[in-house]
Amino acid sequence: MSFAYVDDVLPGNGALPPRAWYATSSATSLSLNGSWRFRLSPTADARDESFAAEGFEAGGWAEVSVPGHWVLQGHGAPIYTNHLYPFPVDPPRVPTENPTGDHLRTFDLPAEWPADGSATLRFDGVESCARVWLNGTDIGEFKGSRLPHEFAVGHLLKPTGNVLAVRVHQWSAGSYLEDQDQWWLPGIFRDVTLLHRPADCALDFFVHSSYDHAAGTGTLRVDSDVQGRITVPELGVDVPTGEPVTVPVEPWTAETPRLYAGTLDTGGERVPLRIGFRTVELSDGLIKVNGTAILFKGVNRHEWHPEHGRALDLDTMRRDVELMKRHNINAVRTSHYPPHPAFLDLCDEYGLWVIDECDLETHGFVEQDWRDNPVDDDRWTPALLDRAERMVERDKNHPSVVLWSLGNEAGTGRGLTAMAEWIRGRDPERLVHYEGDINCRDTDVYSRMYADHAEVERIGRGLDGGPSRRRALPFILCEYAHAMGNGPGGLADYQRLFDRYDRLQGAFVWEWIDHGIADERYGYAYGGDFGEELHDGNFVCDGLVFPDRTPSPGLIEFKKVIEPVRIDVDAPAGMVRVTNRHDFRDLSGLSFTWAYEVEGAAVGSGPLTLPPLAPGEHAEVKLPPVPADGDGKETWWTVRAFDADEHEVAWGQAAMVATPVRSNRLEAHPVLGQGQIALGPATFDARTGGLRTIGGVEVIAPRLDVWRAPTDNDDGASWQSGERLGPLWRKFGLHRMRHRLDGVETGRDALTVRTRVAPAGRDIGLRAVYRWTADADRLQLTVSVVPEGDWRIPLPRLGVRFGLPGGADAVRWFGGGPGEAYPDTRAASRVGLWHSDVDALQTPYVRPQENGARTDVRWAELGGLRIEGDPNFCFTARRWTSEHLDAAEHLTDLTAGDTVWVNLDHAQQGIGSQSCGPGVLPQYRLTPAPAEFTFTFRELGA
């Protein structure tokens, strides 16, 4: 038996032409999902085909679930690479060491299966190459892992004892086209279905449903391979296929996803249709839908489940879409392949703009300057065209799909041009996208990845240069704001640019979900955890939601930044200005509330009435009279907007009377005793000046701290030529600072401790002076810091760290919350009175790193202490040190200790997006400079 098809550049043979996908029809179908017999071979050698014959005894074989990946079911192991091929690059050949899984499924036809007509066997997704037999007959083979393939099998079926055999190879020529920054996971991972094809059944059909925004009418025409009738009862439509009809309709948009139920009846089959009327065009240099320029507030979405990989069920897909909608996301780029078609049904239903991306990426060829790249090799063009056709034909009837994408990071070449030409010829009613086409020869939109803020602004202003065709096109960032670990930072700064310049039509965060694999050893495993020869570590964990789909702080920040309603509160004037930032929807479906809070405690609240503002409109509304006197405390107005399901859509906040905490002069006298110094409620070590206790609370003395466990964005990406702070911080020794005691002085009303904090091997340092004062109940620390030497790098943080050996559990604070925030990720931080416990303050990033900071804190209570700051401060509290956090590779490496370590920070370095994108903007850098800050401590109950 020859395995030549594995290395063949052609897409396969035996499959039927691609056609539109639909979930249900009047025709009978049989799901072949479930438990299959399975045998794994380590090679793709000429193993005999006897397993495909009728009567083969597979009782000794293992079982796997279909849809599924065999490497997630105990057979072999996953591999993660970002762009390197995990096999020798010798296109189109792949190694003999090619894990090959033989799958067997025996089935009977149901009693109601019609005796007349034909049948089609459909595979919705198999990675990466499959050969198929039915009842001993070889019916063909195919490549194109994330694309459907159908085979005519009616002549081979029998009432009982049908044997379906599928041989799946992990590697094939097709693997060179699927280098898509994800786990390599072989198997039959999407549905397998047998479809009855009665006489006069529907074959392929194309629903054309445009919208004339000037006339308010929609024009419907359904072209069908088999003639029939189209009915849409709600619109009174009953016409033959191929005949256009124009009627008044409500249009479909991502904000108003109006669908009309229709039916295609070909005589032998009735197919339900969900019709959305909308027109996509490039007009005035902008992407317009129904005559209106749109702004993408999007995410890139790989398909992922922590236990099942890319084998997603409908409930999981629905959960994704609902999470996106609840977090104000309006668009999805299906990186980097067409998703399960049911996901697009959900996008139609809930309302999401979709860039549907072809199953194509050849990124690994960048290692050889794109030599032998398949997209510029005519031998591969039939495979490229096959992939484009299977995507377009499958998904062409989804109103949510507004752009076709040729693929991702595949260089440039003749094959991509052929794809673009074919797509335009087949579907001129949508636009074409491809980021790699830098001169926009084949595309309708100028698309980039990870351009920094300054460049994006130049593009918005039309100062980017380039070919005249490109200058006339709209711009999007198809990837930006790399959501790896803590971050991304700078989202609000990008959004201000998108709002300011019409040409900038939005962006797509990379990416939706962390691809961690559920694992008993690690909690969630990432690249390298399975002994891969080549891997890219936790670069696969770069999502806005954690593997279990819990929203990360990055998603909460993104939701705030892209709010479709802007709420500006002018507290002193008693006014609120509300602006509708939707493209299509008015605000009649939202409700608004106000709350008046005194130091975080609500003393008044109620509804706020606003007119149903049209898109782009704003209104100013008077707030009610102040319901209570703040009695010298901070008072805040908070206005919130909710949808019909009571999910918060937007909020705004402003201080009525901002009264910063000011430290009073404290005049208790230091008292020198046996080996210690007493000062007010505190005791100190007489030799070192180190704090021991505050009242009855034992304390590990506060001292200057500048180190944080570097985030993925601090560490940056290895290929970046710019400043990568994590490695620089280590190079300069900021993770191993030494503290020199220069003096302990007791004055009439203060204890002063003078120190120098510096790394070994460097001549840079920080002079730090701790001045302690007190009264009977309060202890006050003023820290003065002066940098010395040639500091060429920013600090990670600047503040003090101390320990609570007695531990702590409950935490209460007044300031920013409820979640973590840093200088460039603080848009979603709301001033209020918050409660938590120490464990809940931690953010469980798959690879542990700096996390959990609460910002703009006026005071915090934990471990029996109340801490006030002047100015406002940032705090973290955790049951391990920053050093332990830094050393951990997985969450399971962190072991809680008895001591809670607390950082009180005067300032923190921003986060940025340098794990793949730009670094921290200048205004968020923590440049060493003289600083002074004060904390006041008091034992609770004192």
Side-chain angles (χ1 to χ4, degrees):
M1 168 62 192
S2 171
F3 282 76
Y5 66 89
V6 174
D7 291 336
D8 193 346
V9 297
L10 295 176
N13 72 85
L16 295 168
R19 65 189 182 106
W21 184 90
Y22 47 92
T24 61
S25 81
S26 63
T28 304
S29 66
L30 175 65
S31 172
L32 298 179
N33 295 345
S35 181
W36 290 50
R37 290 291 184 176
F38 176 78
R39 175 182 66 182
L40 180 64
S41 168
T43 67
D45 60 11
R47 182 185 290 276
D48 70 78
E49 301 171 10
S50 61
F51 83 101
E54 296 179 85
F56 180 83
E57 177 52 54
W61 286 20
E63 293 188 22
V64 294
S65 294
V66 171
H69 306 277
W70 69 67
V71 294
L72 297 182
Q73 300 183 62
H75 307 280
I79 300 170
Y80 168 62
T81 61
N82 168 32
H83 77 278
L84 293 174
Y85 290 104
F87 48 80
V89 180
D90 183 25
R93 291 170 288 277
V94 294
T96 301
E97 297 165 338
N98 185 357
T100 297
D102 291 333
H103 298 69
L104 272 179
R105 175 76 152 85
T106 301
F107 65 94
D108 300 332
L109 295 179
E112 64 273 15
W113 191 270
D116 60 329
S118 62
T120 295
L121 177 64
R122 182 183 185 95
F123 295 88
D124 280 308
V126 181
E127 183 176 331
S128 75
C129 172
R131 192 175 192 96
V132 186
W133 295 262
L134 181 61
N135 291 332
T137 299
D138 182 352
I139 60 175
E141 80 278 342
F142 61 89
K143 307 179 189 77
S145 297
R146 267 66 70 175
L147 296 162
H149 295 83
E150 293 184 331
F151 298 88
V153 296
H155 60 293
L156 299 175
L157 290 172
K158 53 187 183 179
T160 60
N162 294 285
V163 177
L164 177 59
V166 185
R167 173 166 284 164
V168 180
H169 305 281
Q170 176 156 13
W171 313 122
S172 70
S175 301
Y176 285 101
L177 304 179
E178 297 172 2
D179 188 23
Q180 293 153 322
D181 185 11
Q182 61 179 342
W183 294 98
W184 299 87
L185 300 175
I188 306 172
F189 68 95
R190 286 186 185 159
D191 305 290
V192 182
T193 311
L194 185 67
L195 305 167
H196 178 241
R197 302 284 75 208
D200 295 324
C201 64
L203 296 178
D204 192 22
F205 58 91
F206 197 160
V207 177
H208 302 271
S209 50
S210 61
Y211 180 72
D212 184 334
H213 66 277
T217 57
T219 299
L220 174 65
R221 187 187 80 247
V222 179
D223 298 330
S224 177
D225 287 355
V226 177
Q227 291 184 353
R229 295 199 70 81
I230 303 298
T231 56
V232 187
E234 188 177 357
L235 297 175
V237 170
D238 186 348
V239 294
T241 54
E243 180 177 310
V245 58
T246 300
V247 291
V249 297
E250 299 173 40
W252 188 97
T253 74
E255 295 170 5
T256 57
R258 181 66 158 94
L259 294 172
Y260 290 89
T263 302
L264 164 64
D265 191 337
T266 59
E269 186 176 15
R270 295 184 306 281
V271 181
L273 305 178
R274 297 199 306 173
I275 303 164
F277 291 90
R278 57 107 186 95
T279 295
V280 183
E281 61 181 337
L282 188 63
S283 176
D284 303 320
L286 298 173
I287 302 167
K288 293 185 178 180
V289 177
N290 303 336
T292 297
I294 60 175
L295 183 63
F296 294 117
K297 302 171 182 178
V299 292
N300 287 273
R301 176 187 176 270
H302 271 294
E303 295 186 303
W304 187 250
H305 188 283
E307 296 172 353
H308 309 303
R310 288 187 285 278
L312 264 62
D313 59 277
L314 183 61
D315 287 344
T316 298
M317 290 185 267
R318 186 178 297 275
R319 185 177 176 190
D320 276 345
V321 172
E322 289 180 346
L323 273 171
M324 290 175 188
K325 294 294 289 187
R326 289 176 188 174
H327 289 85
N328 295 328
I329 290 165
N330 73 357
V332 173
R333 175 180 175 230
T334 68
S335 54
H336 296 295
Y337 42 82
H340 191 291
F343 178 78
L344 297 179
D345 277 347
L346 295 169
C347 294
D348 295 342
E349 176 186 343
Y350 284 82
L352 287 167
W353 308 118
V354 174
I355 299 180
D356 198 356
E357 192 147 273
C358 194
D359 192 12
L360 172 62
E361 181 171 338
T362 65
H363 198 178
F365 285 92
V366 73
E367 294 293 321
Q368 53 204 62
D369 296 324
W370 297 106
R371 177 172 41 84
D372 297 328
N373 186 9
V375 305
D376 201 29
D377 183 335
D378 291 339
R379 295 176 302 160
W380 293 81
T381 299
L384 302 179
L385 287 172
D386 180 74
R387 289 170 183 250
E389 291 170 16
R390 290 188 181 279
M391 171 183 70
V392 171
E393 299 296 4
R394 191 196 77 168
D395 297 341
K396 59 182 177 281
N397 295 327
H398 290 282
S400 57
V401 176
V402 292
L403 281 85
W404 301 115
S405 180
L406 303 181
N408 183 70
E409 292 178 318
T412 57
R414 300 183 298 275
L416 289 166
T417 299
M419 293 169 69
E421 290 175 349
W422 183 89
I423 290 173
R424 285 198 176 93
R426 178 59 171 147
D427 182 22
E429 298 168 355
R430 291 181 175 92
L431 306 180
V432 175
H433 167 273
Y434 177 62
E435 176 270 339
D437 183 10
I438 191 67
N439 291 324
C440 301
R441 178 184 64 182
D442 298 322
T443 63
D444 299 309
V445 57
Y446 178 25
S447 177
R448 290 282 303 282
M449 296 180 182
Y450 305 108
D452 64 25
H453 298 77
E455 183 178 4
V456 170
E457 180 158 24
R458 289 195 298 272
I459 294 169
R461 297 173 63 191
L463 302 177
D464 52 307
S468 57
R469 169 172 168 76
R470 190 180 82 185
R471 294 198 305 273
L473 293 178
F475 175 81
I476 65 169
L477 281 166
C478 68
E479 293 181 21
Y480 87 127
H482 199 249
M484 184 177 177
N486 187 334
L491 283 170
D493 305 273
Y494 272 118
Q495 200 64 34
R496 281 190 283 271
L497 297 174
F498 303 149
D499 291 337
R500 185 179 306 153
Y501 300 105
D502 290 343
R503 187 189 182 192
L504 308 180
Q505 291 201 254
F508 295 78
V509 171
W510 185 266
E511 63 164 307
W512 174 240
I513 189 169
D514 286 343
H515 303 203
I517 294 177
D519 186 277
E520 290 184 1
R521 297 165 297 172
Y522 305 121
Y524 291 109
Y526 50 75
D529 288 337
F530 298 96
E532 299 103 305
E533 181 180 37
L534 294 174
H535 68 85
D536 286 287
N538 68 310
F539 201 69
V540 75
C541 294
D542 46 13
L544 289 173
V545 297
F546 297 126
D548 65 357
R549 286 177 163 75
T550 299
S552 76
L555 180 58
I556 306 304
E557 177 81 355
F558 191 43
K559 174 184 179 178
K560 175 61 180 170
V561 166
I562 61 174
E563 287 174 338
V565 180
R566 179 170 177 171
I567 301 173
D568 296 302
V569 181
D570 185 345
M575 300 291 294
V576 59
R577 180 186 177 99
V578 176
T579 304
N580 184 357
R581 300 168 72 181
H582 288 96
D583 293 325
F584 297 95
R585 233 191 107 166
D586 66 25
L587 299 189
S588 59
L590 300 183
S591 60
F592 293 80
T593 66
W594 62 268
Y596 183 76
E597 298 167 336
V598 177
E599 203 160 280
V603 296
S605 62
L608 194 66
T609 302
L610 279 99
L613 300 172
E617 290 185 344
H618 69 270
E620 292 187 352
V621 179
K622 189 74 174 172
L623 291 167
V626 174
D629 186 353
D631 192 26
K633 297 180 180 179
E634 280 195 61
T635 57
W636 286 78
W637 287 99
T638 303
V639 176
R640 306 165 71 191
F642 297 88
D643 64 17
D645 294 324
E646 295 301 312
H647 295 124
E648 184 182 82
V649 174
W651 60 270
Q653 187 180 57
M656 181 69 180
V657 178
T659 309
V661 174
R662 296 298 179 194
S663 48
N664 301 318
R665 182 172 179 82
L666 307 180
E667 298 182 345
H669 304 297
V671 178
L672 184 62
Q674 186 68 32
Q676 70 176 25
I677 299 170
L679 179 61
T683 62
F684 296 80
D685 184 288
R687 183 180 61 84
T688 65
L691 178 65
R692 289 177 171 175
T693 62
I694 303 172
V697 179
E698 184 182 356
V699 174
I700 298 174
R703 64 179 187 170
L704 192 73
D705 190 19
V706 299
W707 180 243
R708 73 184 187 195
T711 68
D712 292 313
N713 286 305
D714 289 336
D715 284 338
S718 60
W719 62 83
Q720 292 172 326
S721 58
E723 176 186 68
R724 295 168 54 214
L725 289 177
L728 276 176
W729 288 339
R730 294 186 194 278
K731 178 181 177 181
F732 280 83
L734 301 193
H735 61 309
R736 49 178 175 78
M737 301 290 273
R738 298 290 183 259
H739 296 252
R740 187 182 75 205
L741 179 62
D742 288 342
V744 178
E745 305 167 5
T746 56
R748 191 185 71 82
D749 60 354
L751 169 65
T752 302
V753 181
R754 303 184 185 278
T755 69
R756 186 175 190 270
V757 183
R762 296 286 174 178
D763 63 352
I764 57 174
L766 299 164
R767 288 279 182 183
V769 177
Y770 308 92
R771 187 174 187 274
W772 295 95
T773 58
D775 62 15
D777 300 320
R778 295 177 297 167
L779 176 69
Q780 190 172 94
L781 167 64
T782 297
V783 183
S784 300
V785 182
V786 177
E788 295 181 336
D790 183 15
W791 282 88
R792 288 168 281 169
I793 55 172
L795 295 171
R797 69 181 345 133
L798 180 64
V800 297
R801 177 171 68 175
F802 69 95
L804 295 170
D809 189 11
V811 184
R812 182 171 174 258
W813 74 98
F814 175 50
E820 74 178 26
Y822 292 82
D824 54 350
T825 65
R826 57 186 293 171
S829 182
R830 185 182 308 178
V831 175
L833 181 61
W834 308 107
H835 304 260
S836 180
D837 58 54
V838 169
D839 294 333
L841 291 175
Q842 315 311 308
T843 303
Y845 295 115
V846 173
R847 186 191 74 81
Q849 55 199 272
E850 166 62 34
N851 73 89
R854 270 58 178 181
T855 192
D856 283 334
V857 176
R858 282 73 165 158
W859 56 259
E861 296 175 347
L862 76 163
L865 293 178
R866 179 182 173 97
I867 306 161
E868 299 175 358
D870 181 16
N872 298 337
F873 62 99
C874 174
F875 89 88
T876 60
R878 52 178 69 105
R879 301 187 193 279
W880 39 77
T881 65
S882 295
E883 291 74 19
H884 290 140
L885 187 62
D886 188 13
E889 295 293 331
H890 297 85
L891 289 171
T892 51
D893 296 333
L894 292 169
T895 302
D898 295 331
T899 299
V900 167
W901 294 95
V902 182
N903 276 91
L904 307 176
D905 289 322
H906 173 63
Q908 277 247 13
Q909 165 79 359
I911 296 297
S913 188
Q914 204 174 359
S915 52
C916 192
V920 174
L921 286 166
Q923 60 266 37
Y924 306 121
R925 287 173 66 91
L926 181 50
T927 302
E932 184 173 282
F933 45 92
T934 297
F935 300 106
T936 302
F937 303 85
R938 186 179 68 198
E939 184 180 11
L940 289 174

